[in-house]
Amino acid sequence: MKKKISFSGKGSRADIGNMTIYRMLPNRYTDAVGPFVFLDHIAPTVHEVNATAKKAGTGAHPHRGIATLTYILNGEAEHFDSKGHHAKVGAGGIQWMKAGNGIIHDENLTPDAHDKDRLTHAFQFWINLPAQHKAEPPQYLAIRANGVPQQILNDSAGWIKVIAGGYDHLHSAIPDYSKQFIYHLHLEAGKQFSLDTEDGLEYAAFLPELGATINDSAFDAGEFIEFDRNGGTILIVNKNTVAMDIVLFGGEHYTEPIVAEGPFVMNSHLEIADAYKDFFAGKYGTINYG
């Protein structure tokens, strides 16, 4: 039986600097899918040669109570934070930062110097931490493209990458605090992919650049699709004349209260107030750019 679709829609614009951003989550229908409370699609952008020194980013800013996960499809992301972490991750790689009890970070996306197309394209997810982990110290993890598990699909249908969670015998190095998954599926023209789902888990999909037929319904590029919580199959068919990509994500329902304000996601308004108080008191530290 095919899984039912609860709703679909397109994100709202949330541009930052020279980045074109579509905010897919939260949206008018839901505040979370599994542990994921935020998804920004940093749309594909071609950068002019004379814009080499121009960085696309939000500048230094705090977080608390979440883990951020940035998946880079094109370009290079550079990360700095107030706990001394610094790394550059290129196309196909992942940056994961557990904000825990408070951190300041700065993340910039620029074209890869070796990419003649000068393209940037990325996703950023926020993973809501269970209450017991919101008070833990921050952590950071950089995963290069060759460290992201990938499986070639049967019948030359394409491939699937495991950005978070597990699929078949593959498992991402990103820590799990509850059951979670992010898959990047690349499907060749005329091919299809079927995913058997698990009862009770929450599932969503996003089509970044091309449309697809999902469980017999046609969806356009830029659409966010959420499924019901009953078990069933998700069948994706690529009727385009070229290969297409889709992001599938979700996981276990977050059962604790969710209170989000600005860069903080906590379990109560008092905890939000404490997050701001500690930030303004300088307890998150400062970034040393070296």
Side-chain angles (χ1 to χ4, degrees), residues 102-122:
I103 195 169
I104 297 172
H105 81 144
D106 189 353
E107 189 174 27
N108 291 296
L109 182 64
T110 57
D112 189 313
H114 304 291
D115 177 15
K116 61 181 178 59
D117 294 328
R118 300 189 57 78
L119 185 66
T120 56
H121 187 195

Side-chain angles (χ1 to χ4, degrees), residues 33-55:
V33 178
F36 300 100
V37 292
F38 181 96
L39 169 57
D40 266 2
H41 177 216
I42 304 163
T45 300
V46 176
H47 299 257
E48 299 295 332
V49 174
N50 60 7
T52 302
K54 192 172 185 179
K55 294 184 176 183

